[in-house]
Amino acid sequence: MLLSTTVISAAAVSIGRAATTGTPPRGTKAASAHPAVASRASSQNVSSGSRRTIIDSAARNEDIAVSARRRAHGTMISVGATAIARSVPGTNPLKVLSQQPGVMFQSDDPQGVDTWSTQIYMHGFLQNQISTTLDDIPLGELAYRNYNGLSPIQAISSENVERLDVSTGAGAESVASTNNLGGSIEYHSSDPKALRGATIAQTFGSNNLFHTFVRLDSGELNHTGTKFYVSYMRNNTDKWKGGGNQFFQQVNAKLVQPVGQDSKISAFFDFSQYMQYNYQDYSLDIWKHGGKYIDNYYNGQASGYLASYAAALGNYPSSLNGITDKADAAYYDGASASTDVFGGLKGDFRLTERLRWKTSIYGHGEKQYNTWSNPFYSSPNGAPMFEQVKEPSIQRFGILSSVQYDVAHNHLEAGVWYENNKFDSTMYGYEQPLVVNGVIQGTPINTLGNFNKLTPFMQLFGQTINTNTFTAFVQDTYNPLPNVALHFGFKSLLNTSRAGDGYYNTAYYGAGAEAAGTLTTARAFLPHISGDWHFLTHHELYFDVAENVHAYPLGQFKTVASPFAVTQAAFDFARSSLKPESDWAFAVGYRYSDHFMDATLHAYHTNFYNRLQQITSGSIVNPVSTVLNVGDITMNGVDAGLTMRLMRGLSLYNSVSWNHSTYDSNITTQGTTYYSRGQQVIAYPRFMYKSSLSYEYGNFDAHIDASYMSKRNLSYVGDAKVPAYWLADFGMRYRFGGLGKYNHALNFVRNLEFDFNIYNLTNQTYVSTMGENGFPLSGDMQTFLLGAPRQFFGSVKAEF
C-alpha cells in the first residue's frame, strides 16, 4: 500500500511529500523524496497492520499532514496534537480542522465548545452528514441534538487527542457510521506515556474564562509495558453577552496493555458534564433593529425574572423597540445540560506475519436537559410563562470486529459493526412563580438545577425509539507498481428504527398525535473506488469515487430534519416521498511538494439525492415543523492551496475554495411553490479564502490567521442572506524546555510553556452558526447566532 505524508506549516494544506521514518522539521530534507522508497516504507507499515499515518509527533513543526494512503479514505488530512496545541487550550479540534480548504466551522464562542452552536461543514455537507468516530468507536451524528452518540468534545478532552484523520471526500467504508455522505472524521486518543509524569495547564481569558487541565501518566508499570493515564479538565466562562455562564468538566482515562511484540489491549473511559446557558437566537430583524447584544433576560438576580415576567405580559424593554417579534427576541432563560458516561475495550492482535484482528466493544449512556422559558403559555398558578424542559436520554452498546490480511501486492480488510440504541425523547413543563406587587412569590426555577427534585405540572410529549444497525465492509488496496495504489471496496448497511406510540399533549399542541412507525434503510452494495499515482519526484495525482447513504435521522419532536420529529399527520403526508439521503461523490486532485513550497488542487462533483430538510415557521418555542424531501442537489467545487517557506522559520499559506451547490428543483408545499431551483444551498458560502503567516525562531513561535466567508443563504429561495465577513486570530508561544538547565533543583520540570492568543483580532461582528431552528422557505427567521467579539487568552503549562 502506498503512503506519503508531509507537513503543513502554519496550519496549511499539505502536499504529500514522501518520507520513510517521519516528517522532517521545516526546512530540512526528507529521508527520501523518491516515491518508490516511500512505498517500500509504507508497505512495511501496512504489513504490520498499522493504520496510522506516519507522523513524527515529536517534531514541533508538525501541524497538519496529508496522507495519500489509498485504503478507503481517499486523500486524508491528519490534524495532529501539535496543531491543536497552537490554539487556545480547550479549543474544539474541529475548529483547527476548519483552517483547511472547503471546511467551515462555526460557533458563537471562541473555543467552539458551546454545544448549542458548534457546527461544521465540509464541501457543502453539514455535520450530521459526516461520520465521526473515536478510536474506531462511532460517535453518531455530529450535531447538538445527537440521538445516537455524543459530540467529540464530550467524548475526549482536546489535550488528549493525538490526531484527527479526516477524509473530506467520499468517506471510508470501514468507518462505523450510518451517515458518511460527505466524509469522515476519525479521532484518535493519545496513548499513555512510557515515562511517569504529569501535565498541569491553566488558561485565563476574557469573560472570566478559567480552563484547567491536569493529566497524570503512570509510565510503564512492569516488564510487559502496562501503562495508563487519568486526566481532568474544567472549563468555565461567563457568556460574552447576557447573563449566565458556560461550565464544562471532563474525566478521561486510558489503559494500554501490550501483548507480545505487536499486539495490545486498550481501554478508554470518559465522563463528561456540561451545564451551559445558551445565547438567544437571532434573525436579521433582531440584528438590524436590536444590535448584537440582545440576549435573554436572565442575569442571576431578581431583576432578570421581573423583566421577563413583564415581557410575558406584553411590557417589553426599550432595547427591543423596532424589533417586529418582541416576544421571541428574548426569554427568561435557555440552557443545555448533559451528563455522559462513555467507554470501550479494544483488542488489536497480530495473529501471523500477514494477519491482524481487531475487535472493540463499547457502551454509552447520556441524560440531557435542554431548557427555555416559554412566554406563550401560563403556569397553573397564573404566572404568564413556564419552564419548558426537554429530557432526552441515550443508551447504546455495540461491537466492531475486522481482520486485515496482506498477500502479494494486496492489502485486504473486512469487518462488521452492530449497535443497539435506545433513544428516549420527552418534554415536560415546570411552574414558574407568580409576581405580586413587584415581589416574586417563590424562587424561579434554576434552569441548570436538578429537575429530579421538581414535579412537572404537565408532559408535552414522550416517545421511545429503538434502532438496530448492522454494517459490513470488504476492501482491497492493490499496488501493481511501487508508486501506484488502487483501491476497491464496498459497504452494506441495514438500519431499522421503530418509534412507538408516544404521548402527545393535545391541550398544548392541538388535536393530533406524534409520529409513530418503522423506517428502514437497507443498501447491500455501496461501492468505493480510488487511485493514487506518484509520478516523478514531487508530483502526485489521485481520484476518488463512492456511493453513500444516510440512514433516516432521528430526533426530538419539532427539532430536526427527522421523519419522526413531526406530527402523525405530517409524517403520513410526507411518507410517500421519503427516501434516505444518498449521493455519488467524485473527486480528482493533484499535489506538488518540494522543500520550498507545497501546492494542491482538488476538484469534486457530487450528485446528492433526496435531501431531507426541516421546514419551520412560527414561534421558535413551538414551531410549525415539517420534514420534506427537498429534492436533489448538484454540487461542484474546487479547492486550491499554496504554502511557501519564504525563509527558515517563516512560512505563508493561502487557500481558496469555490463551491457551487444548487437545488435541482423547486419546493411545493401546501399548494405554494417556492422557487429554490438554481439557488445556492442554505448556510454554506460559495467562496472561502484562508491565509496564515507563521514564524518560528528557537523556542518562540507566532502566527496570524485570517479567513473570509462570502454571504450565505438563510432561506431556500435566497431572498434572505447573511453578509460576508473577515475574521483574524493571533497567537504566540514560548517554550522554556526543561528548567534544570537554569537551576539544578528544578530538574523535575521537563518543560514550561507560555501562550498568548487573541480571537477576532479586528473585533468583527458576524453571523456564525445558522439553522439551529431550521430554515425558512422564504424570508427572515430567528435561526442564527452571532460570533463572539475580540477575546484575549493567556496560558501557562508545565510538564513534570
Side-chain angles (χ1 to χ4, degrees), residues 14 84 122 131 239 352 355 427 474 497 508 547 601 649 655 683 779:
S14 175
I84 297 171
M122 293 199 311
S131 62
K239 292 167 58 183
T352 71
L355 181 65
M427 184 161 68
V474 176
S497 295
Y508 182 80
E547 183 184 16
L601 184 65
S655 75

Side-chain angles (χ1 to χ4, degrees), residues 583-598:
D583 68 13
W584 274 96
F586 307 85
V588 294
Y590 165 78
R591 300 192 194 94
Y592 175 84
S593 180
D594 63 25
H595 300 301
F596 305 104
M597 63 176 288
D598 299 324

Side-chain angles (χ1 to χ4, degrees), residues 7 56 82 102 533 577 617 663:
V7 168
D56 177 11
T82 306
W533 178 31
S577 67
S617 60
Y663 299 105

Side-chain angles (χ1 to χ4, degrees), residues 220-464:
E220 294 186 351
L221 298 174
N222 50 43
H223 71 279
T224 65
T226 307
K227 55 186 177 180
F228 69 88
Y229 71 75
V230 178
S231 71
Y232 173 75
M233 183 278 296
R234 183 181 186 274
N235 198 90
N236 191 29
T237 180
D238 293 339
K239 292 167 58 183
W240 60 266
K241 66 174 178 178
N245 68 323
Q246 296 191 321
F247 174 80
F248 184 29
Q249 65 178 350
Q250 190 169 46
V251 174
N252 287 161
K254 186 173 183 179
L255 170 71
V256 174
Q257 174 60 64
V259 178
Q261 294 298 313
D262 192 20
S263 300
K264 66 179 180 180
I265 298 172
S266 60
F268 181 83
F269 171 80
D270 167 72
F271 169 82
S272 71
Q273 182 182 55
Y274 74 79
M275 296 182 290
Q276 301 176 341
Y277 283 90
N278 298 136
Y279 294 91
Q280 178 59 289
D281 304 294
Y282 259 58
S283 64
L284 294 172
D285 176 66
I286 294 174
W287 190 13
K288 179 179 178 180
H289 296 107
K292 64 180 180 180
Y293 287 102
I294 297 294
D295 203 52
N296 291 323
Y297 296 105
Y298 176 83
N299 60 5
Q301 303 174 15
S303 60
Y305 185 79
L306 294 173
S308 67
Y309 196 96
L313 294 172
N315 302 310
Y316 301 102
S318 60
S319 59
L320 302 186
N321 289 345
I323 295 175
T324 302
D325 184 6
K326 296 180 178 63
D328 278 311
Y331 309 134
Y332 173 53
D333 59 22
S336 301
S338 178
T339 300
D340 288 86
V341 178
F342 167 77
L345 180 67
K346 180 178 181 179
D348 184 355
F349 303 104
R350 182 177 181 178
L351 303 180
T352 71
E353 186 68 23
R354 296 180 178 272
L355 181 65
R356 179 171 289 273
W357 172 46
K358 295 192 299 182
T359 295
S360 300
I361 56 174
Y362 64 91
H364 170 220
E366 177 181 85
K367 181 62 178 177
Q368 292 186 43
Y369 295 94
N370 305 316
T371 71
W372 63 92
S373 290
N374 186 334
F376 303 105
Y377 194 93
S378 299
S379 291
N381 61 5
M385 59 185 181
F386 75 100
E387 197 73 7
Q388 193 165 322
V389 184
K390 285 191 170 85
E391 303 183 15
S393 64
I394 295 171
Q395 292 180 328
R396 65 187 181 110
F397 66 88
I399 183 169
L400 308 99
S401 188
S402 66
V403 292
Q404 302 171 4
Y405 184 69
D406 292 317
V407 56
H409 298 287
N410 296 274
H411 177 68
L412 301 166
E413 187 175 0
V416 294
W417 166 49
Y418 169 76
E419 179 181 277
N420 175 263
N421 177 48
K422 179 185 177 184
F423 174 62
D424 285 324
S425 174
T426 57
M427 184 161 68
Y428 296 95
Y430 294 84
E431 185 177 81
Q432 288 282 21
L434 274 169
V435 173
V436 178
N437 297 324
V439 179
I440 304 173
Q441 307 299 300
T443 303
I445 287 175
N446 178 2
T447 194
L448 290 176
N450 187 350
F451 287 94
N452 291 327
K453 296 182 178 180
L454 301 177
T455 301
F457 70 86
M458 71 169 174
Q459 182 177 0
L460 284 84
F461 65 77
Q463 191 172 57
T464 297

Side-chain angles (χ1 to χ4, degrees), residues 62-299:
E62 184 178 5
D63 293 334
I64 299 178
V66 169
S67 165
R69 183 160 69 186
R70 292 296 159 210
R71 56 181 179 90
H73 286 266
T75 299
M76 181 177 290
I77 300 170
S78 287
V79 180
T82 306
I84 297 171
R86 287 159 46 93
S87 300
V88 176
T91 293
N92 191 328
L94 296 179
K95 183 176 179 180
V96 181
L97 173 63
S98 70
Q99 296 166 336
Q100 296 305 294
V103 182
M104 181 182 72
F105 178 84
Q106 299 288 356
S107 178
D108 59 15
D109 73 298
Q111 291 174 289
V113 296
D114 181 347
T115 55
W116 171 239
S117 72
T118 54
Q119 188 178 79
I120 189 168
Y121 282 80
M122 293 199 311
H123 289 157
F125 287 97
L126 182 56
Q127 55 200 17
N128 68 331
Q129 297 157 342
I130 302 167
S131 62
T132 314
T133 62
L134 170 61
D135 293 339
D136 298 334
I137 298 173
L139 298 181
E141 305 244 342
L142 183 60
Y144 170 71
R145 297 184 178 100
N146 196 327
Y147 65 90
N148 64 351
L150 73 168
S151 168
I153 63 169
Q154 295 168 251
I156 184 171
S157 299
S158 61
E159 291 91 344
N160 292 329
V161 175
E162 179 186 81
R163 73 184 190 280
L164 274 63
D165 289 343
V166 183
S167 169
T168 60
E173 59 267 41
S174 59
V175 174
S177 76
T178 60
N179 66 317
N180 62 329
L181 290 174
S184 58
I185 303 174
E186 299 176 75
Y187 280 70
H188 298 271
S189 62
S190 61
D191 279 347
K193 298 176 182 178
L195 297 177
R196 183 171 64 249
T199 300
I200 300 175
Q202 181 65 56
T203 301
F204 307 91
S206 300
N207 303 302
N208 297 314
L209 171 87
F210 289 90
H211 177 87
T212 304
F213 177 77
V214 178
R215 170 167 156 165
L216 304 177
D217 282 86
S218 69
E220 294 186 351
L221 298 174
N222 50 43
H223 71 279
T224 65
T226 307
K227 55 186 177 180
F228 69 88
Y229 71 75
V230 178
S231 71
Y232 173 75
M233 183 278 296
R234 183 181 186 274
N235 198 90
N236 191 29
T237 180
D238 293 339
K239 292 167 58 183
W240 60 266
K241 66 174 178 178
N245 68 323
Q246 296 191 321
F247 174 80
F248 184 29
Q249 65 178 350
Q250 190 169 46
V251 174
N252 287 161
K254 186 173 183 179
L255 170 71
V256 174
Q257 174 60 64
V259 178
Q261 294 298 313
D262 192 20
S263 300
K264 66 179 180 180
I265 298 172
S266 60
F268 181 83
F269 171 80
D270 167 72
F271 169 82
S272 71
Q273 182 182 55
Y274 74 79
M275 296 182 290
Q276 301 176 341
Y277 283 90
N278 298 136
Y279 294 91
Q280 178 59 289
D281 304 294
Y282 259 58
S283 64
L284 294 172
D285 176 66
I286 294 174
W287 190 13
K288 179 179 178 180
H289 296 107
K292 64 180 180 180
Y293 287 102
I294 297 294
D295 203 52
N296 291 323
Y297 296 105
Y298 176 83
N299 60 5

Side-chain angles (χ1 to χ4, degrees), residues 735-753 798-800:
R735 298 172 296 272
F736 287 91
L739 298 190
K741 58 188 176 185
Y742 302 105
N743 187 320
H744 185 70
L746 298 176
N747 248 343
F748 66 97
V749 182
R750 298 174 184 171
N751 182 47
L752 181 67
E753 179 179 305
E799 297 176 82
F800 305 96

Side-chain angles (χ1 to χ4, degrees), residues 4 52 58 67 116 175 191 205 212 217 340 393 480 490 504 531 563 575 610 638 650 659 664 747 760 770 784 800:
S4 74
R52 294 187 54 187
S67 165
W116 171 239
V175 174
D191 279 347
T212 304
D217 282 86
D340 288 86
S393 64
F490 73 91
Y504 179 92
R575 190 166 191 172
N610 307 308
V638 177
L650 180 66
N659 175 278
D664 292 348
N747 248 343
N760 194 354
M770 296 178 65
F784 64 80
F800 305 96

